Amino acid sequence: MTYAAYTPKPGSLAEEVISFLMANPDEELTSRDIAVKFDRQINAITPALRTAVHWQHLTCQPGNPNRPAVFLLGPARRRMLENAAQDAPEQPTDSASNALCSYRGQGLDVTRTPGCLRVSNGSQVLDLSAAQVSTLALIGPVLMGQGARA
């Protein structure tokens, strides 16, 4: 199965849940958690996530009488996180500055530091974790009008 063949639609519940779990890979969410966190109807959760589960971007562990079913980050996205971690260069520890590289252009300053990508427009600063950067790398082509959509 080719995992990359599936990309959730921007703004969809699947995209929101996957993005949350990419940033928090050890979390698990029940349908009730998802309904509350993302302001959705509880009876629409499972159908909305069915394709993401099919393509293994999410995993649904069935519940039992003592525990509700939970959604977890699926093997496809876990593999993406592992690949992103392996591709990350070794971080220097004796550097006088934590900045590894920076970019300035079009009104933005972008600085990569160990474990973080900092984006600033002069008045606002956004710090992105490695998982968030990986997620942006995955959804960037879709946001730019390229790539597969579900």
Side-chain angles (χ1 to χ4, degrees), residues 10-141:
S12 69
L13 180 61
E15 179 193 46
E16 292 177 24
V17 171
I18 290 169
S19 294
F20 174 81
L21 291 173
M22 289 285 286
N24 304 283
D26 296 328
E27 292 283 329
E28 57 183 41
L29 299 169
T30 65
S31 291
R32 183 166 306 285
D33 294 335
I34 294 169
V36 170
K37 182 177 280 303
F38 301 106
D39 193 28
R40 304 295 171 97
Q41 296 293 323
I42 195 164
N43 60 350
I45 303 300
T46 300
L49 301 178
R50 187 170 288 130
T51 303
V53 169
H54 170 79
W55 287 99
Q56 299 183 3
H57 289 252
L58 293 174
T59 298
C60 182
Q61 290 183 345
N64 60 45
N66 300 319
R67 182 177 176 269
V70 293
F71 290 90
L72 306 153
L73 197 60
R77 291 296 173 127
R78 288 196 180 279
R79 190 167 303 128
M80 290 175 189
L81 285 177
E82 291 168 7
N83 290 342
Q86 290 173 355
D87 292 343
E90 283 294 316
Q91 307 297 330
T93 56
D94 58 348
S95 171
S97 167
N98 283 339
L100 298 176
C101 69
S102 63
Y103 164 81
R104 175 176 271 171
Q106 298 183 352
L108 291 177
D109 293 326
V110 181
T111 306
R112 192 176 90 217
T113 59
C116 176
L117 186 69
R118 177 167 283 178
V119 181
S120 171
N121 67 358
S123 62
Q124 296 177 323
V125 175
L126 177 64
D127 288 329
L128 300 169
S129 69
Q132 291 169 319
V133 172
S134 296
T135 301
L136 285 173
L138 293 170
I139 66 172

